[in-house]
Amino acid sequence: MSCSLIGTCYAGRAVLTVHLLCFFQRFELHIIRLLDFIGLLVLSEMTLFSSLEPPLSSETLEALSNSGFKFCTPVQEKTIPPLCSHRDVIVGAGTGSGKTLAFIVPLVEILRRIQPDNKPNQVLGVVISPTRELSSQIYHVAQPFVSTLKNVKPVLLVGGVDVQTDMQKLEQQGSKILIATPGRLDHIMDRIDGLDFRNLEILILDEADRLLDMGFEKQINSIISRLPKLRRTGLFSATQTEAVQELAKAGLRNPLKVLVEAKLLSGASPSQEFGSSKLPSGLKNEYLLCEADNKPSQLVDLLIKSKYQKIIIYFMTCDCVNYWGLALPQLSLLKNFSLISLHGQMKQIARDKALATFSSLSSGVLLCTDVAARGLDIPGVDFVIQYDPPQDSDVFLHRVGRTARMGRKGSALVFLTPKEEAYVYLQRSRKVPLEARECSDEAPDVIPEIRSAALRDRDVMEKGLKAFVSYIRAYKKHDCNHILSWKKLEIGKLGMGYGLLRLPSMPDVKRRSLSTMGFIPVTNVNLDEIKFWDKSREKQRKQKLQAKLLAQEVEKRERKRKESRKATSGVGRKKPAKKRRAIQSVEEYDELDREYSLIKKLKKGKIDETEFANLTGTLDLMCNL
């Protein structure tokens, strides 16, 4: 009986196990994210917003609750109380630590206490961030909290929008809170005298290190010089550089330094424990060594294996994003993938649309530059792939920080060639450990398909060439050029990796200062005859080509005309008056000498009068007489 009962129990467990496996397979992604969130609550010592001192207002607590925030992250717990207590702060915290709420909540609380009046042009709070996307994100995060204040509304000031529109909006409606990029805010402050900053309560500099790295130091100093000294200032950054420290000395008064390090999840590997304080707690950080001509195949293999994940792929330049954003969808293996491009040279409307679309997806791929590396809180990113290492090695940490945010799990991978392996040790020395990952033997060879796409569409071919050249130029300017040496760049394998039909005519290629080994050009193809797939673009190309040929013909004729004129420059040209008079005088003297000589011959009888008259031209005159 007992055996039968035990058998029944085992059978029941087996059935239950099968049902559970089916359940997990169907809802795997959602369950993993739910477990990550639960792990965050269990593994972290969380503090309730309602328990902070000084206490937050009921309106702010309600807005936090409605937005799904009940517990503070460590950076919020350490930053909100001092900012609300009239202290300046310098905050250093990793990506995904919740820095945005750490300054939005104090800003709203400070303005609530002073009860702003209806003066439209009185500015009470300023938030400055380095990029349009980050400023826009802060603006949207702040909306539900600012809406709880009376007579207060924020205004977003970023590039990509007509500056006259922003000026008219401020002059007519005003704003108590400005959320802006430094260039646009400095421009607005120069052109609008009506904005009143005398009663400014709080200034926030978000991603301060990036503000300085991007060359905004002049604008930041200009803005700070026009603000009152009696204010609260918060300086937030993921890395505390020397430039940030200098800025803090100039703009902050006796600041409180807040440094928040990420905590490891239990069971972390030894490689993670080494210097793990700079990594998000749930991040699996890896590197993949492969030759440049094998990178596209390995990338496609990773995308296929991560089909149902949300992935960000970082490239070195905007041209690289444009090219791969066009080439990857041409591959048959990626036909059903959602591939979205984002970079700084896109129009602002297109950038906003791309970011909003990717954020709304449960799975998809974002191809981007470092414009999406800092501060952006894109929900649910599972995997970050660095196809190219960043020009600025400090950005490496910010890139991988787009995943494993707020205690969730995530993966990151950087592609490196064998000659770039020292980059791993550089990151490890900066307390950013990396684990090795093996190349996949199952990766499909996609280079022939990319080349076929270039033969079909001139746009693919031209964008590939531009991306290739832009990558080489950017590689030269890498801040780790002692490790990522430009002189060791194998452009032959790189060109194959870009699916080029032929290497471009570059000085370094002509001089053979860089290795072209490994490149196999496509033969028996006239590149000038490759057409655009878009008929309108092909028509424009032909018109430009005809105009170019016509211009060359006109130039050739003009050159021949100039050469002909130069050869006959002394013939038939009228001489200056002074020169003409000098020539005339010489001719007259010669004629007089000749006549005098003939008169002597006539007197001596050597010639007769008829001969004299004939030689001097007086014969006709004598006949007439």
Side-chain angles (χ1 to χ4, degrees):
M1 188 69 178
S2 60
C3 293
S4 175
L5 180 60
I6 292 171
T8 304
C9 290
Y10 273 110
R13 288 177 63 184
V15 172
L16 178 61
T17 302
V18 171
H19 284 294
L20 284 174
L21 285 173
C22 294
F23 180 79
F24 271 92
Q25 288 174 354
R26 187 175 180 183
F27 301 100
E28 180 181 3
L29 183 61
H30 301 288
I31 291 172
I32 288 173
R33 289 176 180 169
L34 177 61
L35 290 176
D36 287 342
F37 180 71
I38 294 172
L40 172 65
L41 299 182
V42 173
L43 294 170
S44 304
E45 297 178 0
M46 307 300 289
T47 302
L48 291 168
F49 278 105
S50 58
S51 63
L52 293 178
E53 291 292 338
L56 302 179
S57 65
S58 59
E59 293 88 347
T60 298
L61 289 173
E62 184 179 356
L64 286 165
S65 179
N66 292 338
S67 300
F69 300 110
K70 187 176 182 180
F71 296 93
C72 300
T73 63
V75 68
Q76 293 162 0
E77 180 184 358
K78 294 182 179 181
T79 304
I80 293 174
L83 263 179
C84 290
S85 302
H86 309 280
R87 287 292 303 273
D88 289 353
V89 294
I90 300 175
V91 181
T95 58
S97 58
K99 292 193 294 293
T100 303
L101 273 186
F103 60 75
I104 289 295
V105 170
L107 184 150
V108 171
E109 286 295 285
I110 288 168
L111 298 192
R112 193 186 308 282
R113 292 171 188 172
I114 64 172
Q115 296 181 351
D117 53 33
N118 283 320
K119 293 180 180 179
N121 294 325
Q122 189 180 60
V123 180
L124 301 176
V126 172
V127 180
I128 302 174
S129 65
T131 65
R132 302 173 188 176
E133 284 74 20
L134 184 51
S135 292
S136 180
Q137 178 179 286
I138 294 169
Y139 176 79
H140 291 297
V141 171
Q143 285 284 17
F145 300 93
V146 177
S147 63
T148 63
L149 299 172
K150 294 180 180 180
N151 303 323
V152 175
K153 57 183 175 181
V155 168
L156 180 64
L157 301 174
V158 296
V161 181
D162 184 16
V163 68
Q164 293 294 335
T165 303
D166 286 340
M167 290 176 62
Q168 291 175 3
K169 186 192 301 182
L170 288 172
E171 288 173 345
Q172 294 173 5
Q173 303 175 9
S175 175
K176 294 290 188 294
I177 301 174
L178 301 180
I179 300 172
T181 51
R184 177 53 63 95
L185 179 58
D186 186 44
H187 189 54
I188 290 289
M189 293 175 77
D190 277 339
R191 299 181 65 174
I192 298 182
D193 297 327
L195 291 178
D196 183 5
F197 292 91
R198 289 175 298 178
N199 295 314
L200 184 81
E201 289 289 332
I202 183 169
L203 168 67
I204 300 296
L205 300 174
D206 191 23
E207 298 290 350
D209 55 340
R210 186 62 174 161
L211 285 169
L212 301 176
D213 290 343
M214 292 176 68
F216 289 126
E217 185 174 1
K218 181 179 178 181
Q219 288 89 339
I220 293 295
N221 290 331
S222 174
I223 292 168
I224 291 177
S225 66
R226 306 180 206 189
L227 303 180
K229 293 182 179 180
L230 294 177
R231 65 172 190 271
R232 266 148 291 190
T233 304
L235 193 153
F236 291 75
S237 179
T239 55
Q240 297 295 309
T241 62
E242 292 183 6
V244 172
Q245 298 298 329
E246 290 299 318
L247 180 62
K249 291 177 183 178
L252 282 74
R253 297 176 294 118
N254 189 27
L256 173 68
K257 293 185 179 180
V258 176
L259 180 61
V260 179
E261 296 183 348
K263 295 181 180 180
L264 272 178
L265 291 172
S266 59
S269 65
S271 61
Q272 281 181 304
E273 291 176 3
F274 172 73
S276 59
S277 61
K278 284 197 173 184
L279 287 178
S281 56
L283 177 66
K284 183 180 181 182
N285 198 25
E286 297 177 307
Y287 69 95
L288 181 70
L289 291 182
C290 70
E291 297 291 353
D293 54 352
N294 193 29
K295 283 173 67 174
S297 298
Q298 293 296 324
L299 175 65
V300 171
D301 182 69
L302 286 170
L303 293 179
I304 294 171
K305 292 177 179 177
S306 310
K307 184 175 182 179
Y308 299 106
Q309 292 186 348
K310 203 167 183 177
I311 305 168
I312 297 179
I313 306 177
Y314 286 102
F315 296 92
M316 185 89 78
T317 69
C318 298
D319 286 327
C320 289
V321 173
N322 284 334
Y323 172 59
W324 291 111
L326 178 64
L328 290 178
Q330 307 273 347
L331 303 178
S332 56
L333 292 171
L334 302 181
K335 284 295 182 183
N336 297 323
F337 279 71
S338 297
L339 298 163
I340 301 167
S341 297
L342 173 66
H343 58 76
Q345 292 180 0
M346 294 168 62
K347 293 183 178 180
Q348 188 60 42
I349 295 175
R351 288 165 66 171
D352 293 341
K353 182 179 179 181
L355 193 58
T357 301
F358 181 69
S359 297
S360 65
L361 294 175
S362 59
S363 63
V365 182
L366 180 69
L367 314 174
C368 62
T369 59
D370 289 336
V371 72
R374 286 198 178 229
L376 293 184
D377 187 14
I378 302 172
V381 176
D382 303 293
F383 196 7
V384 169
I385 299 174
Q386 301 190 62
Y387 193 78
D388 305 319
Q391 270 188 303
D392 182 356
S393 55
D394 290 333
V395 177
F396 184 95
L397 190 64
H398 296 281
R399 284 181 170 186
V400 300
R402 295 315 98 205
T403 186
R405 296 176 70 81
M406 299 294 291
R408 295 177 176 86
K409 290 183 179 180
S411 301
L413 176 73
V414 59
F415 280 91
L416 298 171
T417 65
K419 292 185 178 181
E420 298 171 340
E421 188 174 5
Y423 191 77
V424 175
Y425 303 104
L426 171 69
Q427 291 299 330
R428 286 176 179 172
S429 69
R430 297 180 174 183
K431 299 183 180 181
V432 182
L434 288 150
E435 296 179 2
R437 179 170 181 156
E438 296 296 328
C439 285
S440 173
D441 296 330
E442 302 172 356
D445 184 9
V446 297
I447 298 302
E449 198 170 354
I450 295 175
R451 282 184 152 185
S452 297
L455 289 169
R456 290 194 307 269
D457 188 356
R458 189 177 191 85
D459 195 25
V460 177
M461 183 190 75
E462 290 186 352
K463 280 190 167 76
L465 288 170
K466 286 184 67 176
F468 176 80
V469 173
S470 71
Y471 176 84
I472 293 176
R473 289 174 177 171
Y475 202 91
K476 284 184 179 182
K477 299 177 182 178
H478 204 287
D479 70 341
C480 294
N481 51 25
H482 58 291
I483 294 175
L484 306 182
S485 175
W486 170 74
K487 294 181 179 179
K488 296 179 181 178
L489 198 60
E490 296 178 292
I491 61 173
K493 293 180 180 178
L494 183 67
M496 284 298 293
Y498 273 78
L500 302 187
L501 305 179
R502 290 177 194 169
L503 289 177
S505 180
M506 298 172 61
D508 301 305
V509 175
K510 290 180 179 178
R511 294 195 298 264
R512 296 187 178 181
S513 56
L514 298 176
S515 172
T516 59
M517 294 292 292
F519 186 78
I520 304 173
V522 175
T523 57
N524 301 324
V525 174
N526 186 350
L527 301 186
D528 292 333
E529 294 180 357
I530 297 177
K531 300 179 180 180
F532 283 106
W533 184 264
D534 186 341
K535 292 183 179 180
S536 61
R537 291 194 64 185
E538 178 59 21
K539 183 178 179 181
Q540 291 175 3
R541 184 182 80 90
K542 287 182 178 179
Q543 289 174 348
K544 288 180 180 179
L545 186 60
Q546 290 175 355
K548 184 179 179 180
L549 292 173
L550 181 61
Q552 290 176 348
E553 184 64 27
V554 171
E555 185 181 355
K556 185 178 179 181
R557 290 178 182 176
E558 182 65 19
R559 186 165 56 250
K560 284 185 178 180
R561 189 176 66 82
K562 287 182 179 179
E563 289 175 356
S564 175
R565 182 186 295 177
K566 186 176 181 180
T568 59
S569 59
V571 180
R573 184 180 294 177
K574 190 174 182 181
K575 297 179 176 61
K578 186 175 181 180
K579 195 169 185 178
R580 291 201 306 272
R581 286 194 296 269
I583 293 172
Q584 186 177 357
S585 299
V586 172
E587 290 174 349
E588 288 175 353
Y589 285 130
D590 290 341
E591 184 66 23
L592 288 173
D593 287 341
R594 180 169 168 275
E595 290 182 358
Y596 181 69
S597 175
L598 291 174
I599 289 172
K600 282 185 177 181
K601 290 181 179 181
L602 178 62
K603 287 183 178 182
K604 292 179 179 180
K606 292 183 179 181
I607 57 174
D608 55 20
E609 290 182 357
T610 304
E611 289 177 326
F612 177 80
N614 189 30
L615 291 171
T616 56
T618 56
L619 179 63
D620 294 336
L621 180 61
M622 291 176 64
C623 292
N624 291 332
L625 293 174

